[in-house]
Amino acid sequence: MYSIRGSVLRAGCLTKSPFRIVICLAISLLLASCAGSNATYSGSVYTVKRGDTLYRISRLTGTSVKDLASMNGISPPYTIEVGQRLKVNGASKTASSSTKSGTKTAKVVPSSQVPLSSWPPVGQRCWRWPTTGKVIMTYSTSDGGNKGIDIAGTRGQPVYASGAGKVVYVGNQLRGYGNLIMIKHSEEYITAYAHNDTLLVNNGQSVKAGQKIATMGSSDADSVRLHFQLRYKATAIDPLRYLPPQGSPPKC
């Protein structure tokens, strides 16, 4: 699905130019949404599996939630049923990576295979909540699981930088993430903020911890939310393990 050398996604890519960082993290985010998943679809039809939502199917197939709803006549609250066949964009695809003769595919180790012992210790860095609200999707190590947390809120609600750093991506080219911002905090850490409404920062801009960088929205999502990822050496780790209790300042 992605023909690119596996070494591109190694942690070392974070030390390269901003352009290389964007390429590395963009591919990593795209693969994270389907890495380890055995879900497949043929041609332009996807069969709903147990646990699927339009939001998840959007990430697996590269079809926006808005297009999925429109193409299949689905209205809010976007209820779907197991076995239901949905029209999607694109040709025959497989959500899991495959290797063709003479082609090297990007190799990414799913977070479920990275032992907790290799994660950074809690308190090594101070992280702030990027927004306030109920966590409606938690981090998961299961196949095709959520590699961040989703926080519900209201349209226009402020989204803040979880830490000081430099903006390395602002855009909506990654299908399934809507209006997305990525911030590099060091040679090892990057945070990602997806589904925003308004983007308030630019590529290359330095930001402070707690600085307002966007407003919450529902771009490429089936409800207003913020999808937040914390990545350590390009590996998605559980943000709830490192964030303080909501409403509390960082303890480090």
Side-chain angles (χ1 to χ4, degrees), residues 41-46 57 61 63 68 71-72 86-90:
Y41 63 101
S42 177
S44 58
V45 177
Y46 178 91
I57 295 171
T61 65
T63 307
L68 281 172
M71 294 166 63
N72 295 280
L86 301 178
K87 297 177 182 178
V88 298
N89 294 328

Side-chain angles (χ1 to χ4, degrees), residues 51-147:
D52 276 343
T53 63
L54 282 192
Y55 179 58
R56 182 173 185 273
I57 295 171
S58 170
R59 291 192 176 187
L60 289 173
T61 65
T63 307
S64 70
V65 171
K66 181 179 179 180
D67 286 346
L68 281 172
S70 175
M71 294 166 63
N72 295 280
I74 302 174
S75 302
Y78 304 114
T79 301
I80 54 178
E81 299 179 356
V82 174
Q84 183 176 350
R85 292 167 63 82
L86 301 178
K87 297 177 182 178
V88 298
N89 294 328
S92 178
K93 299 177 183 178
T94 303
S96 56
S97 298
S98 59
T99 303
K100 297 181 180 180
S101 177
T103 300
K104 291 184 179 181
T105 56
K107 184 177 181 181
V108 177
V109 179
S111 295
S112 57
Q113 297 180 16
V114 177
L116 289 175
S117 59
S118 69
W119 288 15
V122 175
Q124 184 182 75
R125 291 184 64 93
C126 294
W127 300 107
R128 298 168 180 260
W129 276 83
T131 193
T132 58
K134 180 181 180 181
V135 176
I136 55 175
M137 289 185 67
T138 57
Y139 175 90
S140 172
T141 57
S142 64
D143 290 344
N146 197 34
K147 298 312 173 190

Side-chain angles (χ1 to χ4, degrees), residues 4-239:
I4 194 164
R5 294 181 183 276
S7 61
V8 169
L9 292 179
R10 292 176 182 170
C13 74
L14 299 183
T15 65
K16 305 297 183 182
S17 67
F19 179 76
R20 171 64 73 84
I21 293 169
V22 171
I23 295 299
C24 290
L25 268 295
I27 294 171
S28 181
L29 281 170
L30 282 170
L31 291 179
S33 67
C34 60
S37 173
N38 293 319
T40 62
Y41 63 101
S42 177
S44 58
V45 177
Y46 178 91
T47 302
V48 177
K49 309 294 191 302
R50 184 178 299 278
D52 276 343
T53 63
L54 282 192
Y55 179 58
R56 182 173 185 273
I57 295 171
S58 170
R59 291 192 176 187
L60 289 173
T61 65
T63 307
S64 70
V65 171
K66 181 179 179 180
D67 286 346
L68 281 172
S70 175
M71 294 166 63
N72 295 280
I74 302 174
S75 302
Y78 304 114
T79 301
I80 54 178
E81 299 179 356
V82 174
Q84 183 176 350
R85 292 167 63 82
L86 301 178
K87 297 177 182 178
V88 298
N89 294 328
S92 178
K93 299 177 183 178
T94 303
S96 56
S97 298
S98 59
T99 303
K100 297 181 180 180
S101 177
T103 300
K104 291 184 179 181
T105 56
K107 184 177 181 181
V108 177
V109 179
S111 295
S112 57
Q113 297 180 16
V114 177
L116 289 175
S117 59
S118 69
W119 288 15
V122 175
Q124 184 182 75
R125 291 184 64 93
C126 294
W127 300 107
R128 298 168 180 260
W129 276 83
T131 193
T132 58
K134 180 181 180 181
V135 176
I136 55 175
M137 289 185 67
T138 57
Y139 175 90
S140 172
T141 57
S142 64
D143 290 344
N146 197 34
K147 298 312 173 190
I149 57 174
D150 286 31
I151 307 168
T154 58
R155 189 174 304 279
Q157 180 174 320
V159 174
Y160 304 103
S162 189
K166 184 177 182 179
V167 177
V168 292
Y169 179 86
V170 177
N172 56 11
Q173 288 76 29
L174 301 183
R175 304 191 79 176
Y177 290 91
N179 294 327
L180 173 69
I181 294 173
M182 296 182 195
I183 299 176
K184 179 184 177 184
H185 303 279
S186 69
E187 299 305 331
E188 298 178 322
Y189 290 97
I190 283 186
T191 52
Y193 312 74
H195 307 309
N196 301 294
D197 186 11
T198 304
L199 303 175
L200 304 176
V201 292
N202 300 309
N203 283 314
Q205 180 178 339
S206 294
V207 295
K208 299 178 180 179
Q211 180 177 331
K212 184 178 178 180
I213 58 173
T215 61
M216 192 182 293
S218 58
S219 52
D220 265 357
D222 54 8
S223 63
V224 176
R225 67 178 68 199
L226 172 69
H227 174 71
F228 174 70
Q229 288 192 14
L230 173 60
R231 289 183 167 263
Y232 175 71
K233 296 182 178 179
T235 296
I237 56 180
D238 185 2

